[in-house]
Every structure is written in C-alpha cells, then in structure tokens.
Amino acid sequence: MARPRKPLLSRDRIVEAAGALVDAEGLEAVSTRRLAAALGVSGPSLYNHFRTKDAILEAVADAVSARVDLSMFDAVGGADGDADEAGRGDRGGGARRDWREALHAWAHSYRDALADHPNIVPVLARGPGRRPAGLRLADAVFGAMTEAGWPPAHATRIGALMRYFILGSAVASFARGFVDDEAAYDPVDYPHLGQAHLLAERRREVDEGAFETGLKALLDGLSLQYEALREPRA
C-alpha cells in the first residue's frame, strides 16, 4: 500500500505553526527545530521558505495585521461637507463615513486582532517595514485622513498616535496588574486602593472600558484640532 502523503510544506503552514507557538509560549519559543518538529519536516527545509527566524516572526506579525478590518476607510468623507452626509442615507448605498467614526471602528478591530495574539505585539511595534498587510494598514489610515481633509503631516501623526495607543493597550492588562488578595492593599499604606483586589476578576470590564475612554478622548481631541485647522484665518 502506498504511504499517505504528507501535506506539502508551505509558507502558510509555517506561519500558522509559528503563530501557534508564539501564542502559547512567546517569541522565544520559535526556533527552526521546534517548527520542524511541529510540522514533521527537517529543519533545513524551512529555509526554502524563510531565511531566518526573524523573517518567520515578521510573517506571523503580518498575518495578524491582515486580520484587521480596513473597509471602514473606503468611504471616508472629504473635508467639504462629505463627512456631514455620513449620517444620511443608506450605508449600503454609498453613504460617506465620518473620519472619526472610521478611526473608532478601525481601532476596535485592530485591538481585537491583537487581543487574540498579544505575544506578537513587540514585533508589530517595530513598524510595518516591508510587511504587505502592515503597509496596507498604514496606507489606508493615511489615505483616509488626507481624504477627510487632514494635512499630510497631521495624517502621519494621527496614524502614529493611534498605533501607539492601540499597541500599548495590547501589551498588558491594567486590571491583571493587581493581585486578588485584599491583604496586599493595606489601607494604612494605600488608602485609595481598598477595592484594587477586585480588579483582576473584572479585567474585561476594566480594560475594555479604559480603552473606550481613552479612544473617545483621543478622537474628541483630534476633532478640536480638525475644526481649528478648518477655521478661516483673518
């Protein structure tokens, strides 16, 4: 009887296996030996697809970026009244979307993707480099902001600001930084932390609430700057 054929080694299989290792054990767990064993192949065969471990991690990071929804930027309104039309008409019929609404939806999609794969965030934090999905993400944000009327320099800063905020929120949980032990927070030493031991069990509520609060503050602040830029100068 013929032996069952093994699935052909591919970039996608390597990235999937590497991503699973990163999720389970962190960046340091990825090695050609570990990946080869997980894939049932010899170590050198991986080099037919990736030259280095860093190249594999870059591909894993880009696979995460590819999961971020960018469709909300497709119909961002321009500066001359298009944004005001965002709330009128059928969304499916070509209605324009406000840039603030688009940034809000994108930020949540980006954070959701990172929340599922927090161990890869340090690689993403290096910037898009040559990663295709990462570059498409940067291009979509910058293009939508300039289309909405932001000057290019401001659009660049907005892209950077949003990345700092979103990636930072994914690095660690604020709520998990407190232990579930009331005795750890003696009111003599910490008079305002009497309920801190409850934060860990309310992690999702606290962390998601903090993200939404910060996001709203950022967008409100950007809105003030946007209006100031559009005011006619005497």
Side-chain angles (χ1 to χ4, degrees), residues 124-147:
L124 287 165
R126 300 171 190 167
R130 298 177 183 270
R131 299 194 299 268
L135 290 171
R136 284 193 292 271
L137 188 155
D139 182 73
V141 176
F142 180 83
M145 294 306 100
T146 54
E147 177 68 20

Side-chain angles (χ1 to χ4, degrees), residues 11-204:
R11 286 179 62 92
D12 287 345
R13 286 191 67 214
I14 295 170
V15 170
E16 183 179 359
L21 268 178
V22 171
D23 288 345
E25 302 180 40
L27 297 174
E28 296 304 317
V30 178
S31 68
T32 54
R33 178 183 62 81
R34 291 286 303 275
L35 284 176
L39 293 164
V41 299
S42 62
S45 64
L46 298 177
Y47 294 113
N48 293 326
H49 300 276
F50 294 98
R51 292 185 178 182
T52 65
K53 169 185 170 177
D54 281 347
I56 295 173
L57 292 177
E58 288 284 319
V60 172
D62 210 41
V64 173
S65 293
R67 298 175 187 179
V68 181
D69 183 14
L70 300 176
S71 64
M72 67 285 294
F73 293 123
D74 292 342
V76 169
D80 298 325
D82 287 341
D84 294 333
E85 298 176 6
R88 297 196 293 271
D90 180 9
R91 287 287 185 193
R96 306 292 276 173
R97 183 188 289 268
D98 180 80
W99 63 266
R100 289 155 290 207
E101 180 186 350
L103 280 181
H104 184 275
W106 168 70
H108 276 280
S109 178
Y110 200 173
R111 182 175 181 268
D112 288 345
L114 299 183
D116 291 335
H117 308 281
N119 290 338
I120 200 63
V121 171
V123 179
L124 287 165
R126 300 171 190 167
R130 298 177 183 270
R131 299 194 299 268
L135 290 171
R136 284 193 292 271
L137 188 155
D139 182 73
V141 176
F142 180 83
M145 294 306 100
T146 54
E147 177 68 20
W150 283 98
H154 285 76
T156 299
R157 295 169 196 160
I158 290 170
L161 168 66
M162 297 300 292
R163 284 189 69 255
Y164 297 153
F165 175 67
I166 297 165
L167 291 173
S169 74
V171 169
S173 162
F174 175 82
R176 279 183 177 169
F178 296 87
V179 299
D180 184 15
D181 180 6
E182 186 174 4
Y185 307 105
D186 190 323
V188 174
D189 297 318
Y190 315 107
H192 305 295
L193 296 181
Q195 301 296 307
H197 64 287
L198 302 175
L199 290 174
E201 68 182 44
R202 298 176 183 173
R203 178 186 64 82
R204 183 170 182 176

